[in-house]
Amino acid sequence: MGAVVSSAGGGRCRGGDGTVLGDLPENCVAEVLLRLDPLEICRMARLSRTFRGAASGDVVWESKLPRNYVRLLAIAAAGDGEGGQAAAAALEAEPLPKKDLYARLCRRNRFDGGNKEFWLDKGGGGLCMSISSRALSITGIDDRRYWNFIPNDESRFHTVAYLSQIWWFEVRGEVEFFFPEGTYSLFYRVHLGRPFKRLGRRVYSSEHIHGWDIKPVHFQMSTSDGQHVQSKCYLTDPGIWINHHVGDFVVKDSSRPINIRFAMIQIDCTHTKGGLCVDSVVVKPQYLTQKKVPWTYV
Amino acid sequence: MAAAADSSGDGGTSSGEKTIVLVSSDNSARFEVREAAALLSQTVRRMIDEAGADASGDGITLPDVDAKTLAKVLEYCNKHAPASSSSSAAEAAPPAEGEEDLERFDREFVRVDMGTLYSLVTAASYLKIEGLLNLTCQTIADMIKGKTPEQIRKTLGITSEFTPEEEDEVRRENAWAF
């Protein structure tokens, strides 16, 4: 059987020697890339000029961006202050390639006065968020007998709230945001014991740790559209950062903001508790938390 | 003179259903297929709409699809065609075959050499057959997943014509991802 020649639009169908897939036109390569995740797409750019072209194409990246990416970009730009406003205006005037917009959203974007930040997970495009302890409502935070903000380089915000001791332990917070559609998990990132460096090594002090084994800590979460979760657990395992899973919430409409309220409470006044660092509240897309995540540094 | 190739289906005329004749690019083969199967291609659908009611008399020539590929594409269309053709552009009628049967067919269908796979992708793209495009592109995507660029070059037969400067540029463009 001789070679069958197809016309100018495609290439030669030689069959069997496998050398012709490299001749695929760019639009077909784009169709293939659509079905890969963002990191793989970036890796594929190295294959050939056609792959490089397809891997930069708006068609491919538009499908990876969250539906409300324009709004997210505006929030990111606003968080940049004066320079951000100018950047946002420039964006309106001459749109950047969608790939650049995706990369932009993958950066840590501060908002709400700099005490919260959001970013896209590079691999899956899901939205993540970290809310600093400074943005939380902590009962007794102004009383240095109970709480102090201490520097810590294991925290995104370089500061954590440290509790020496208190009867009434209550750490609340809320965030209103345009989450892209999906399911999210919310965590309190805490550490039993006070970490510090001694002679360049990371150690922790357990001098104030007490009371957490007497009664469990209660976690709550509720959303403005009526979702509620409650859970409780005993705090254990000093010396490492632990993400306590409060619960999950679902977002159905990214064009409307959703308000999430959360609380971590232990107000049984028959005993004091202390020796706890509260770093932040973290929100991640549910698909991410099904993978193993290192405990110590988020 | 062009020989009439075997019709890929069992000839829908027995049920009185309309058939369409599709002709390969080099005019070497003519295929008579059920309208429902042919209309899986948005391109064919558009050609019929544009040409008017009497177009299928002479057959529709597809300048970008050779005979061998067209035969294979029509094998797919016949299998996936709805039981009866609908006149609406948004094809919602379910195929005549069962889900599992189709999945098995699809898996076997893409067990072909690279050259054929390549022809199927370009044909599916040109003919705008969503299901076939999805199937073939997903197949290639699955071949790529988890492999290093060197392995992929070998599997898919791609040569890189990058200059060292271009290589550097590509690396920089994508540094944010790694």
Side-chain angles (χ1 to χ4, degrees), chain A residues 44-58:
Chain A
M44 296 307 117
R46 291 174 44 200
L47 284 180
S48 72
R49 290 204 178 109
T50 311
F51 269 80
R52 181 189 182 187
S56 319
D58 275 0

Side-chain angles (χ1 to χ4, degrees), chain A residues 62 65-74 98 101 105 120:
Chain A
E62 178 110 39
L65 285 165
R67 188 179 309 190
N68 62 345
Y69 70 91
V70 175
R71 172 128 25 207
L72 295 177
L73 284 165
K98 301 281 190 281
L101 297 183
L105 289 175
L120 290 191

Side-chain angles (χ1 to χ4, degrees), chain A residues 30-101:
Chain A
E31 283 287 344
V32 172
L33 292 181
L34 270 177
R35 288 156 174 88
L36 296 174
D37 72 48
L39 299 183
E40 282 167 334
I41 294 170
C42 288
R43 214 178 307 136
M44 296 307 117
R46 291 174 44 200
L47 284 180
S48 72
R49 290 204 178 109
T50 311
F51 269 80
R52 181 189 182 187
S56 319
D58 275 0
V59 164
V60 170
W61 290 97
E62 178 110 39
S63 75
K64 303 300 175 194
L65 285 165
R67 188 179 309 190
N68 62 345
Y69 70 91
V70 175
R71 172 128 25 207
L72 295 177
L73 284 165
I75 296 172
D80 285 343
E82 284 275 336
Q85 306 297 350
L91 207 64
E92 294 261 349
E94 197 191 304
L96 285 176
K98 301 281 190 281
K99 178 181 182 181
D100 292 357
L101 297 183

Side-chain angles (χ1 to χ4, degrees), chain B residues 14-37:
Chain B
S14 53
S15 63
E17 201 194 329
K18 190 160 182 233
T19 60
I20 290 179
V21 175
L22 298 172
V23 185
S24 66
S25 60
D26 48 2
N27 235 317
S28 66
R30 299 169 67 82
F31 299 90
E32 185 178 1
V33 287
R34 285 198 293 132
E35 187 185 48

